[in-house]
Short mmCIF file of all heavy atoms in Angstrom, two decimals:
data_model
loop_
_atom_site.label_atom_id
_atom_site.label_comp_id
_atom_site.label_asym_id
_atom_site.label_seq_id
_atom_site.Cartn_x
_atom_site.Cartn_y
_atom_site.Cartn_z
N ILE A 411 4.21 -20.34 -33.54
CA ILE A 411 5.10 -19.89 -34.65
C ILE A 411 5.71 -21.07 -35.31
O ILE A 411 5.79 -21.15 -36.58
CB ILE A 411 6.11 -18.94 -34.14
CG1 ILE A 411 5.47 -17.59 -33.57
CG2 ILE A 411 7.16 -18.58 -35.18
CD1 ILE A 411 6.38 -16.78 -32.76
N HIS A 430 7.09 -15.40 -44.55
CA HIS A 430 6.95 -14.07 -43.97
C HIS A 430 5.90 -14.10 -42.86
O HIS A 430 4.84 -14.72 -42.99
CB HIS A 430 6.49 -13.12 -45.08
CG HIS A 430 6.27 -11.73 -44.63
ND1 HIS A 430 4.97 -11.18 -44.52
CD2 HIS A 430 7.13 -10.77 -44.25
CE1 HIS A 430 5.14 -9.90 -44.13
NE2 HIS A 430 6.42 -9.63 -43.94
N ILE A 431 6.20 -13.39 -41.78
CA ILE A 431 5.26 -13.33 -40.64
C ILE A 431 5.01 -11.83 -40.32
O ILE A 431 5.94 -11.05 -40.35
CB ILE A 431 5.85 -14.07 -39.39
CG1 ILE A 431 5.90 -15.57 -39.66
CG2 ILE A 431 5.06 -13.80 -38.16
CD1 ILE A 431 6.54 -16.40 -38.56
N ILE A 432 3.81 -11.56 -39.99
CA ILE A 432 3.42 -10.19 -39.66
C ILE A 432 2.98 -10.10 -38.18
O ILE A 432 2.28 -10.93 -37.69
CB ILE A 432 2.21 -9.70 -40.56
CG1 ILE A 432 2.62 -9.74 -42.03
CG2 ILE A 432 1.78 -8.28 -40.19
CD1 ILE A 432 1.51 -9.49 -42.98
N THR A 433 3.48 -9.03 -37.51
CA THR A 433 3.13 -8.84 -36.13
C THR A 433 3.14 -7.38 -35.84
O THR A 433 3.33 -6.54 -36.66
CB THR A 433 4.11 -9.59 -35.20
OG1 THR A 433 3.64 -9.60 -33.86
CG2 THR A 433 5.47 -9.04 -35.27
N SER A 434 2.93 -6.98 -34.58
CA SER A 434 3.02 -5.58 -34.18
C SER A 434 4.36 -5.30 -33.54
O SER A 434 5.09 -6.21 -33.29
CB SER A 434 1.86 -5.23 -33.18
OG SER A 434 2.14 -5.67 -31.89
N ASN A 435 4.59 -4.02 -33.20
CA ASN A 435 5.83 -3.66 -32.53
C ASN A 435 5.70 -3.50 -31.05
O ASN A 435 6.62 -2.94 -30.39
CB ASN A 435 6.44 -2.37 -33.17
CG ASN A 435 5.58 -1.16 -32.86
OD1 ASN A 435 4.38 -1.26 -32.56
ND2 ASN A 435 6.16 0.03 -33.00
N VAL A 436 4.61 -4.07 -30.49
CA VAL A 436 4.46 -4.09 -29.02
C VAL A 436 4.18 -5.44 -28.48
O VAL A 436 3.54 -5.60 -27.44
CB VAL A 436 3.36 -3.10 -28.60
CG1 VAL A 436 3.80 -1.68 -28.91
CG2 VAL A 436 2.07 -3.44 -29.25
N GLU A 437 4.61 -6.51 -29.15
CA GLU A 437 4.29 -7.87 -28.73
C GLU A 437 5.13 -8.22 -27.47
O GLU A 437 6.14 -7.60 -27.18
CB GLU A 437 4.63 -8.87 -29.86
CG GLU A 437 3.72 -8.72 -31.01
CD GLU A 437 2.24 -8.99 -30.75
OE1 GLU A 437 1.88 -9.99 -30.13
OE2 GLU A 437 1.44 -8.08 -31.14
N HIS A 438 4.66 -9.25 -26.78
CA HIS A 438 5.39 -9.79 -25.66
C HIS A 438 6.75 -10.31 -26.05
O HIS A 438 6.87 -10.82 -27.25
CB HIS A 438 4.58 -10.90 -25.04
CG HIS A 438 5.09 -11.36 -23.70
ND1 HIS A 438 6.14 -12.29 -23.58
CD2 HIS A 438 4.76 -11.04 -22.44
CE1 HIS A 438 6.42 -12.48 -22.30
NE2 HIS A 438 5.56 -11.75 -21.56
N PRO A 439 7.81 -10.24 -25.27
CA PRO A 439 9.11 -10.74 -25.67
C PRO A 439 9.08 -12.21 -26.14
O PRO A 439 9.94 -12.60 -26.95
CB PRO A 439 9.98 -10.59 -24.43
CG PRO A 439 9.32 -9.47 -23.66
CD PRO A 439 7.85 -9.56 -23.94
N ALA A 440 8.13 -12.99 -25.63
CA ALA A 440 8.05 -14.41 -26.06
C ALA A 440 7.81 -14.53 -27.54
O ALA A 440 8.35 -15.48 -28.22
CB ALA A 440 6.91 -15.08 -25.30
N VAL A 441 7.12 -13.56 -28.13
CA VAL A 441 6.93 -13.57 -29.52
C VAL A 441 8.03 -12.75 -30.26
O VAL A 441 8.67 -13.26 -31.17
CB VAL A 441 5.53 -12.96 -29.90
CG1 VAL A 441 5.42 -12.63 -31.42
CG2 VAL A 441 4.40 -13.86 -29.46
N GLU A 442 8.30 -11.61 -29.78
CA GLU A 442 9.23 -10.69 -30.38
C GLU A 442 10.63 -11.34 -30.53
O GLU A 442 11.22 -11.30 -31.60
CB GLU A 442 9.30 -9.36 -29.61
CG GLU A 442 10.29 -8.38 -30.17
CD GLU A 442 10.41 -7.17 -29.27
OE1 GLU A 442 9.84 -7.10 -28.19
OE2 GLU A 442 11.26 -6.26 -29.64
N GLU A 443 11.14 -11.84 -29.37
CA GLU A 443 12.46 -12.33 -29.40
C GLU A 443 12.65 -13.60 -30.22
O GLU A 443 13.66 -13.83 -30.82
CB GLU A 443 12.97 -12.60 -27.95
CG GLU A 443 13.10 -11.33 -27.12
CD GLU A 443 14.09 -10.30 -27.72
OE1 GLU A 443 15.09 -10.72 -28.28
OE2 GLU A 443 13.79 -9.09 -27.67
N TYR A 444 11.64 -14.46 -30.20
CA TYR A 444 11.64 -15.64 -31.03
C TYR A 444 11.70 -15.34 -32.51
O TYR A 444 12.45 -15.90 -33.27
CB TYR A 444 10.53 -16.55 -30.63
CG TYR A 444 10.59 -17.96 -31.26
CD1 TYR A 444 11.82 -18.67 -31.27
CD2 TYR A 444 9.45 -18.55 -31.83
CE1 TYR A 444 11.86 -19.95 -31.84
CE2 TYR A 444 9.55 -19.87 -32.38
CZ TYR A 444 10.79 -20.55 -32.37
OH TYR A 444 10.80 -21.81 -32.93
N LEU A 445 10.85 -14.40 -32.93
CA LEU A 445 10.82 -13.97 -34.30
C LEU A 445 12.12 -13.37 -34.72
O LEU A 445 12.64 -13.61 -35.81
CB LEU A 445 9.69 -12.93 -34.51
CG LEU A 445 8.28 -13.48 -34.41
CD1 LEU A 445 7.25 -12.31 -34.65
CD2 LEU A 445 8.00 -14.63 -35.37
N LYS A 446 12.73 -12.54 -33.84
CA LYS A 446 14.04 -11.91 -34.19
C LYS A 446 15.10 -13.04 -34.36
O LYS A 446 15.93 -12.90 -35.28
CB LYS A 446 14.46 -10.95 -33.04
CG LYS A 446 13.75 -9.65 -33.05
CD LYS A 446 14.17 -8.75 -31.93
CE LYS A 446 13.46 -7.38 -31.94
NZ LYS A 446 13.88 -6.57 -30.82
N ALA A 447 15.08 -14.02 -33.51
CA ALA A 447 16.04 -15.08 -33.56
C ALA A 447 15.90 -15.85 -34.89
O ALA A 447 16.91 -16.14 -35.56
CB ALA A 447 15.93 -16.00 -32.42
N LEU A 448 14.69 -16.22 -35.23
CA LEU A 448 14.42 -16.93 -36.53
C LEU A 448 14.85 -16.04 -37.70
O LEU A 448 15.39 -16.55 -38.70
CB LEU A 448 12.99 -17.29 -36.57
CG LEU A 448 12.49 -18.38 -35.60
CD1 LEU A 448 10.98 -18.53 -35.68
CD2 LEU A 448 13.18 -19.73 -35.85
N GLU A 449 14.60 -14.77 -37.62
CA GLU A 449 14.93 -13.85 -38.69
C GLU A 449 16.45 -13.73 -38.84
O GLU A 449 16.98 -13.77 -40.00
CB GLU A 449 14.34 -12.51 -38.43
CG GLU A 449 14.33 -11.57 -39.63
CD GLU A 449 13.51 -10.28 -39.45
OE1 GLU A 449 13.36 -9.86 -38.25
OE2 GLU A 449 13.03 -9.68 -40.42
N GLN A 450 17.17 -13.70 -37.77
CA GLN A 450 18.63 -13.65 -37.80
C GLN A 450 19.23 -14.91 -38.42
O GLN A 450 20.29 -14.85 -39.02
CB GLN A 450 19.17 -13.38 -36.41
CG GLN A 450 18.95 -11.97 -35.88
CD GLN A 450 19.23 -11.82 -34.41
OE1 GLN A 450 19.70 -12.74 -33.78
NE2 GLN A 450 19.03 -10.63 -33.89
N ILE A 454 13.00 -16.81 -41.55
CA ILE A 454 11.73 -16.09 -41.86
C ILE A 454 12.08 -14.60 -42.13
O ILE A 454 13.19 -14.16 -41.83
CB ILE A 454 10.78 -16.14 -40.70
CG1 ILE A 454 11.39 -15.56 -39.39
CG2 ILE A 454 10.27 -17.57 -40.48
CD1 ILE A 454 10.40 -15.41 -38.25
N GLN A 455 11.16 -13.87 -42.68
CA GLN A 455 11.15 -12.42 -42.73
C GLN A 455 9.96 -11.96 -41.85
O GLN A 455 8.94 -12.58 -41.80
CB GLN A 455 10.97 -11.96 -44.18
CG GLN A 455 12.16 -12.26 -45.09
CD GLN A 455 11.95 -11.76 -46.48
OE1 GLN A 455 10.79 -11.76 -46.95
NE2 GLN A 455 12.96 -11.25 -47.12
N VAL A 456 10.19 -10.82 -41.18
CA VAL A 456 9.15 -10.27 -40.31
C VAL A 456 8.82 -8.86 -40.60
O VAL A 456 9.76 -8.07 -40.82
CB VAL A 456 9.56 -10.44 -38.82
CG1 VAL A 456 8.42 -9.96 -37.87
CG2 VAL A 456 9.98 -11.87 -38.48
N THR A 457 7.57 -8.50 -40.59
CA THR A 457 7.14 -7.12 -40.71
C THR A 457 6.47 -6.77 -39.39
O THR A 457 5.56 -7.46 -38.91
CB THR A 457 6.15 -6.86 -41.81
OG1 THR A 457 6.79 -7.14 -43.08
CG2 THR A 457 5.68 -5.41 -41.80
N TYR A 458 7.01 -5.70 -38.75
CA TYR A 458 6.42 -5.20 -37.46
C TYR A 458 5.62 -3.97 -37.75
O TYR A 458 6.12 -2.93 -38.11
CB TYR A 458 7.61 -4.88 -36.49
CG TYR A 458 8.47 -6.02 -36.13
CD1 TYR A 458 9.60 -6.30 -36.92
CD2 TYR A 458 8.18 -6.88 -35.08
CE1 TYR A 458 10.40 -7.44 -36.65
CE2 TYR A 458 8.96 -7.93 -34.77
CZ TYR A 458 10.08 -8.21 -35.57
OH TYR A 458 10.91 -9.33 -35.23
N VAL A 459 4.31 -4.09 -37.55
CA VAL A 459 3.40 -2.97 -37.84
C VAL A 459 3.31 -2.09 -36.61
O VAL A 459 3.01 -2.58 -35.49
CB VAL A 459 1.99 -3.49 -38.21
CG1 VAL A 459 1.09 -2.31 -38.52
CG2 VAL A 459 2.07 -4.48 -39.37
N PRO A 460 3.59 -0.83 -36.71
CA PRO A 460 3.65 0.05 -35.54
C PRO A 460 2.28 0.39 -35.00
O PRO A 460 1.31 0.48 -35.74
CB PRO A 460 4.31 1.32 -36.08
CG PRO A 460 4.08 1.35 -37.56
CD PRO A 460 4.00 -0.10 -37.98
N VAL A 461 2.27 0.63 -33.71
CA VAL A 461 0.99 1.05 -33.04
C VAL A 461 0.94 2.59 -33.06
O VAL A 461 1.88 3.30 -33.33
CB VAL A 461 0.97 0.60 -31.56
CG1 VAL A 461 0.94 -0.88 -31.48
CG2 VAL A 461 2.14 1.16 -30.74
N VAL A 467 -2.64 -0.98 -32.71
CA VAL A 467 -2.37 -1.04 -34.14
C VAL A 467 -3.71 -1.01 -34.92
O VAL A 467 -4.72 -1.58 -34.48
CB VAL A 467 -1.57 -2.35 -34.47
CG1 VAL A 467 -2.39 -3.57 -34.20
CG2 VAL A 467 -1.15 -2.38 -35.91
N ASP A 471 -3.90 -0.66 -41.07
CA ASP A 471 -2.44 -0.84 -41.32
C ASP A 471 -2.08 -2.31 -41.42
O ASP A 471 -1.26 -2.71 -42.23
CB ASP A 471 -1.65 -0.20 -40.16
CG ASP A 471 -1.71 1.34 -40.21
OD1 ASP A 471 -2.11 1.88 -41.26
OD2 ASP A 471 -1.33 1.98 -39.25
N MET A 472 -2.72 -3.13 -40.58
CA MET A 472 -2.47 -4.57 -40.61
C MET A 472 -2.87 -5.17 -41.99
O MET A 472 -2.10 -5.88 -42.62
CB MET A 472 -3.17 -5.26 -39.51
CG MET A 472 -2.69 -4.99 -38.06
SD MET A 472 -0.97 -5.63 -37.75
CE MET A 472 -1.29 -7.39 -37.81
N VAL A 475 -0.43 -4.26 -44.90
CA VAL A 475 0.76 -5.06 -44.97
C VAL A 475 0.40 -6.46 -45.38
O VAL A 475 1.18 -7.06 -46.18
CB VAL A 475 1.42 -5.07 -43.59
CG1 VAL A 475 2.62 -6.02 -43.57
CG2 VAL A 475 1.86 -3.64 -43.19
N ILE A 476 -0.69 -7.01 -44.94
CA ILE A 476 -1.12 -8.38 -45.40
C ILE A 476 -1.24 -8.40 -46.88
O ILE A 476 -0.77 -9.37 -47.55
CB ILE A 476 -2.38 -8.77 -44.69
CG1 ILE A 476 -2.17 -8.98 -43.17
CG2 ILE A 476 -2.91 -10.10 -45.28
CD1 ILE A 476 -3.40 -9.20 -42.31
N LYS A 479 2.05 -8.40 -48.75
CA LYS A 479 2.90 -9.56 -48.55
C LYS A 479 2.15 -10.91 -48.53
O LYS A 479 2.70 -11.92 -48.09
CB LYS A 479 3.66 -9.44 -47.24
CG LYS A 479 4.37 -8.13 -46.95
CD LYS A 479 5.75 -8.10 -47.58
CE LYS A 479 6.57 -6.84 -47.11
NZ LYS A 479 7.89 -6.88 -47.58
N LEU A 485 1.79 -16.42 -41.45
CA LEU A 485 1.16 -16.22 -40.14
C LEU A 485 1.09 -14.77 -39.78
O LEU A 485 2.01 -14.01 -40.08
CB LEU A 485 2.07 -16.94 -39.03
CG LEU A 485 1.67 -16.72 -37.60
CD1 LEU A 485 0.42 -17.44 -37.25
CD2 LEU A 485 2.79 -17.15 -36.64
N VAL A 486 0.02 -14.40 -39.15
CA VAL A 486 -0.10 -13.05 -38.51
C VAL A 486 -0.34 -13.40 -37.05
O VAL A 486 -1.20 -14.16 -36.69
CB VAL A 486 -1.32 -12.26 -39.02
CG1 VAL A 486 -1.48 -10.97 -38.22
CG2 VAL A 486 -1.09 -11.90 -40.53
N THR A 487 0.54 -12.82 -36.14
CA THR A 487 0.41 -13.01 -34.72
C THR A 487 0.25 -11.69 -34.07
O THR A 487 1.12 -10.76 -34.26
CB THR A 487 1.59 -13.78 -34.16
OG1 THR A 487 1.48 -13.87 -32.72
CG2 THR A 487 2.93 -13.16 -34.49
N LEU A 488 -0.81 -11.48 -33.36
CA LEU A 488 -1.18 -10.17 -32.76
C LEU A 488 -1.75 -10.43 -31.40
O LEU A 488 -2.77 -11.12 -31.24
CB LEU A 488 -2.19 -9.48 -33.64
CG LEU A 488 -2.65 -8.08 -33.23
CD1 LEU A 488 -1.53 -7.09 -33.22
CD2 LEU A 488 -3.75 -7.60 -34.15
N ALA A 704 7.35 2.94 -28.36
CA ALA A 704 6.52 2.67 -29.54
C ALA A 704 5.28 3.51 -29.60
O ALA A 704 4.78 3.88 -30.69
CB ALA A 704 6.11 1.18 -29.54
#
Side-chain angles (χ1 to χ4, degrees):
I411 295 166
H430 178 252
I431 294 176
I432 300 171
T433 190
S434 79
N435 67 339
V436 294
E437 295 298 309
H438 190 277
V441 169
E442 179 187 0
E443 294 302 321
Y444 190 44
L445 292 179
K446 284 180 179 178
L448 292 172
E449 193 170 26
Q450 288 169 1
I454 59 171
Q455 293 180 324
V456 185
T457 297
Y458 299 89
V459 182
V461 296
V467 63
D471 288 347
M472 291 293 292
V475 174
I476 293 170
K479 308 275 188 175
L485 174 70
V486 174
T487 176
L488 181 64

